[in-house]
């Protein structure tokens, strides 16, 4: 483990007062609270930081996921994503994220058994979901139904009990695919399919999505593996928008279903979970390889963005994009090649050789190829984010668990810089309108 416990200090001179302060630096950060001692007099508030979007503020200490954006490294609990995608499976990765270490054989068997036997939903959840309009967005249905689970398991509010926490985490990982699949079937007007506990986690999900009258839905193993890998790639990504939402809501000590519902809501937004759909639209608009140079020119002239390129954290090839690019071949071997793949590959090649993209360190991100795969599975674009949410659930829960066990955490309550009016005299409506 890297020793990040270096302690040094920062000397700050307040030019308003001429006073100097020595502030400890730990793990490359200063405590924002230490700045509050810097004040001009006893009447005015202490110095604070202004950081919309938390671009340079650590909100927690975490040992779940490590990212080095410059080098293109992603690790869960210290294990490189490439090795997990190749050699592990989604439920084992879920165990790793939540428990912090890989399971022994009995631990793994118990974990898989527990998750497999909690995939069913209370029948009233079905009735609840059937109440949505025929054209309800599946993410809206997922957000509402996962939140509604808190009413089916009122004991979930007892978050200080480790056994109870474990039970709710098992339930949530187990039930998310059932909720997601039922939201999908709802939009299609098809009957909801009950879980098949003889199948693996991912094969069962595909069965609940696509089974019709056959006795058992046997998905092609290559597709099961590809989707399982996609779940692994999405399982955690440290303090992103939805994880921050889960932590922020969870910091009120609400039950985990409500906290995860907040995460689903955050992921629903186009800036977070929706870019892969935009990639497909872009590729369709480009239409053929001959049109790529014109398109690139438009991007460089600032008319539009090359969707699926660039990342706030990765200034190198997103390691997840590399794995997905390889998975495309396996999936298309089964489903036939998506003609947009050829355009995507050529577009990537041209962009990676172009000075504009090189200078700005713009590389393909996780969304550049994932939409192509999802489309090959015949998922409509509205389902892409639901798949992301199912994959991200163990990560949200691992982060939630870390939060509720972290003695340094407090209820999330940022400061503001107030810019409004003060001490106005209220004039009653009757006088204002006369
Ligand atoms: N195409 C063309 N130019 C770009 C792109 C792009 N996709 N992304 C960034 N740039 C340019 C940007 O115009 C700016 O140029 P200049 O310095 O001349 O003003 C420079 O690169 C730096 O960009 P930025 O906007 O400061 O970078 P950011 O960190 O704020 O934005 C981003 C990151 C992901 C929002 C952005 O790269 C983007 O919009 N990409 C396209 C959308 C996309 O693929 N989103 C999925 C992200 S991965 C999903 C996940 O991990 O959850």
């Amino acid at each position: 483990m890297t020793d990040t416990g270096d302690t040094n200090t920062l000397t700050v001179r307040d030019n308003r007062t001429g006073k100097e302060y020595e502030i400890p630096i730990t793990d490359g950060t200063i405590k924002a609270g230490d700045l509050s001692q810097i004040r001009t007099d006893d009447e005015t508030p202490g110095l604070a930081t202004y950081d919309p979007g938390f671009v340079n503020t650590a909100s927690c200490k975490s040992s779940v996921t490590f990212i080095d954006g410059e080098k293109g490294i992603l690790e869960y609990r210290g294990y490189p994503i490439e090795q997990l995608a190749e050699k592990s499976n989604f439920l084992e990765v879920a165990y790793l994220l939540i428990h912090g270490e890989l399971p022994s054989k009995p631990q793994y068997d118990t974990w898989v058994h527990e998750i497999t036997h909690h995939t069913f939903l209370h029948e009233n959840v079905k009735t609840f979901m059937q109440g949505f309009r025929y054209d309800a967005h599946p993410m809206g249905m997922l957000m509402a139904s996962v939140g509604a689970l808190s009413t089916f398991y009122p004991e979930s509010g007892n978050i200080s009990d480790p056994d109870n926490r474990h039970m709710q985490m098992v339930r949530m990982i187990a039930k998310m695919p059932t909720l997601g699949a039922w939201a999908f079937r709802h939009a299609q007007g098809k009957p909801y399919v009950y879980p098949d506990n003889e199948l693996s986690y991912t094969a069962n999900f595909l069965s609940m999505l696509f089974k019709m009258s056959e006795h058992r839905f046997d998905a092609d193993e290559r597709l099961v593996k590809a989707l399982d890998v996609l779940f692994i790639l999405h399982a955690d990504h440290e303090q992103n928008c939805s994880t921050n939402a889960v932590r922020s809501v969870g910091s009120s000590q609400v039950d985990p279903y409500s906290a995860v519902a907040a995460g689903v809501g955050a992921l629903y937004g186009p800036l977070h979970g929706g870019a892969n759909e935009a990639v497909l639209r872009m590729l369709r608009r480009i239409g053929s390889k001959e049109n790529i140079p014109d398109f690139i020119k438009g991007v460089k002239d600032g008319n539009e963005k090359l969707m699926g390129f660039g990342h706030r954290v990765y200034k190198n090839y997103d390691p997840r994009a590399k794995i997905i690019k390889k998975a495309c071949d396996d999936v298309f071997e089964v489903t036939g090649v998506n003609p947009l793949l050829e355009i995507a590959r050529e577009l990537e090649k041209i962009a990676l050789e172009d000075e504009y993209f090189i200078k700005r360190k713009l590389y393909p991100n996780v969304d550049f190829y994932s939409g192509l795969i999802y489309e090959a599975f015949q998922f409509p674009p509205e389902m892409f984010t639901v798949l992301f949410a199912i994959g991200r659930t163990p990560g949200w829960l691992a982060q939630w668990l870390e939060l509720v066990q972290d003695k340094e955490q407090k209820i999330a309550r940022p400061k503001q810089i107030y810019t409004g009016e003060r001490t106005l005299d209220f004039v009653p409506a009757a006088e204002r309108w006369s």
Side-chain angles (χ1 to χ4, degrees):
M1 204 179 129
T2 323
D3 178 17
T4 51
D6 54 312
T7 303
N8 216 319
T9 59
L10 174 76
T11 303
V12 179
R13 185 186 146 82
D14 186 347
N15 291 327
R16 297 170 303 178
T17 60
K19 275 201 210 161
E20 281 196 359
Y21 304 82
E22 195 158 308
I23 296 176
I25 301 175
T26 310
D27 298 327
T29 61
I30 57 165
K31 281 196 173 149
D34 286 345
L35 296 175
S36 62
Q37 61 181 307
I38 304 176
R39 51 178 73 218
T40 46
D41 54 63
D42 291 346
E43 305 301 310
T44 47
L47 196 67
T49 57
Y50 175 57
D51 189 7
F54 300 119
V55 290
N56 196 26
T57 296
S59 64
C60 62
K61 291 178 181 166
S62 179
S63 61
V64 181
T65 289
F66 173 81
I67 300 177
D68 182 332
E70 288 297 326
K71 297 194 179 124
I73 293 173
L74 169 62
E75 294 170 359
Y76 297 159
R77 300 286 189 183
Y79 293 97
I81 190 70
E82 293 81 2
Q83 293 185 24
L84 294 172
E86 193 190 332
K87 298 176 189 162
S88 186
N89 63 58
F90 180 62
L91 284 191
E92 189 178 41
V93 168
Y95 185 100
L96 171 69
L97 284 167
I98 287 172
H99 294 88
E101 53 191 18
L102 289 167
S104 65
K105 173 88 170 85
Q107 285 168 333
Y108 177 75
D109 289 345
T110 306
W111 177 245
V112 172
H113 179 87
E114 282 184 312
I115 304 248
T116 308
H117 290 87
H118 283 91
T119 49
F120 276 72
L121 290 163
H122 192 291
E123 279 295 289
N124 287 1
V125 177
K126 190 171 144 194
T127 322
F128 170 73
M129 292 183 82
Q130 281 168 333
F132 280 94
R133 274 180 58 124
Y134 68 97
D135 58 353
H137 195 293
M139 270 302 263
M141 290 181 70
L142 185 68
M143 177 170 56
S145 51
V146 75
L149 290 184
S150 69
T151 66
F152 289 84
Y153 307 109
E155 74 280 12
S156 61
N158 183 9
I159 61 162
S160 56
D161 173 7
D163 292 339
N164 182 42
R165 287 195 302 244
H166 175 79
M167 190 68 248
Q168 311 316 325
M169 289 191 289
V170 164
R171 282 189 176 132
M172 217 164 334
I173 295 170
K175 293 179 199 306
M176 284 294 268
T178 317
L179 293 172
W182 286 7
F184 172 76
R185 302 283 290 203
H186 183 83
Q188 305 201 328
K190 290 181 181 159
Y192 298 1
V193 177
Y194 286 95
D196 180 343
N197 289 350
E198 298 300 310
L199 297 175
S200 72
Y201 185 84
T202 304
N204 172 50
F205 178 51
L206 287 170
S207 162
M208 291 188 291
L209 288 163
F210 298 120
K211 184 171 179 293
M212 291 306 290
S213 59
E214 63 272 46
H215 174 63
R216 165 157 295 152
F217 183 84
D218 278 319
D220 189 294
E221 265 313 306
R222 288 165 294 179
L223 294 184
V224 175
K225 170 71 186 157
L227 190 55
D228 203 74
V229 167
L230 283 159
F231 284 156
I232 293 174
L233 299 183
H234 287 91
D236 197 49
H237 214 227
E238 49 122 298
Q239 306 311 313
N240 56 86
C241 178
S242 57
T243 301
N244 183 58
V246 170
R247 278 184 173 263
S248 187
V249 171
S251 76
S252 73
Q253 302 194 347
V254 74
D255 68 89
Y257 298 101
S258 303
V260 166
V264 177
L267 193 62
Y268 198 172
L271 289 188
H272 193 2
N276 44 19
E277 187 184 342
V279 172
L280 288 181
R281 276 200 304 272
M282 174 189 76
L283 294 174
R284 250 181 218 113
R285 196 156 45 81
I286 295 173
S288 78
K289 288 206 284 189
E290 295 69 55
N291 299 332
I292 293 176
D294 259 5
F295 171 79
I296 293 276
K297 183 173 177 309
V299 172
K300 287 157 64 171
D301 290 346
N303 300 334
E304 59 184 312
K305 278 189 169 175
L306 171 48
M307 296 310 288
F309 259 64
H311 198 277
R312 171 60 62 79
V313 179
Y314 294 116
K315 301 302 168 197
N316 203 321
Y317 213 107
D318 180 337
R320 302 168 300 172
K322 264 190 207 156
I323 300 167
I324 296 184
K325 192 178 171 187
K326 269 201 236 145
C328 278
D329 294 332
D330 298 337
V331 171
F332 293 147
E333 198 180 289
V334 183
T335 63
V337 176
N338 186 332
L340 298 178
L341 178 67
E342 210 191 341
I343 303 174
R345 285 193 169 144
E346 184 65 13
L347 187 55
E348 178 194 331
K349 187 167 159 283
I350 293 178
L352 290 180
E353 287 166 358
D354 192 294
E355 187 52 30
Y356 175 94
F357 298 92
I358 295 171
K359 204 172 109 200
R360 290 171 178 77
K361 299 188 177 175
L362 300 172
Y363 293 85
N365 60 48
V366 69
D367 287 325
F368 192 66
Y369 287 105
S370 63
L372 287 172
I373 295 200
Y374 293 150
E375 198 170 63
F377 274 90
Q378 304 196 327
F379 288 120
E382 314 82 79
M383 274 300 285
F384 294 0
T385 348
V386 172
L387 302 169
F388 192 156
I390 294 170
R392 183 55 56 90
T393 300
W396 285 332
L397 292 171
Q399 302 268 354
W400 169 79
L401 185 62
E402 192 171 60
L403 166 96
V404 299
Q405 293 178 301
D406 182 348
K407 300 258 183 307
E408 286 188 8
Q409 283 295 328
K410 292 181 187 303
I411 187 166
R413 202 327 184 167
K415 274 180 138 29
Q416 64 165 11
I417 301 172
Y418 180 67
T419 60
E421 305 280 2
R422 290 286 323 280
T423 57
L424 301 177
D425 274 328
F426 179 73
V427 181
E431 287 176 39
R432 288 196 324 272
W433 298 340
S434 61

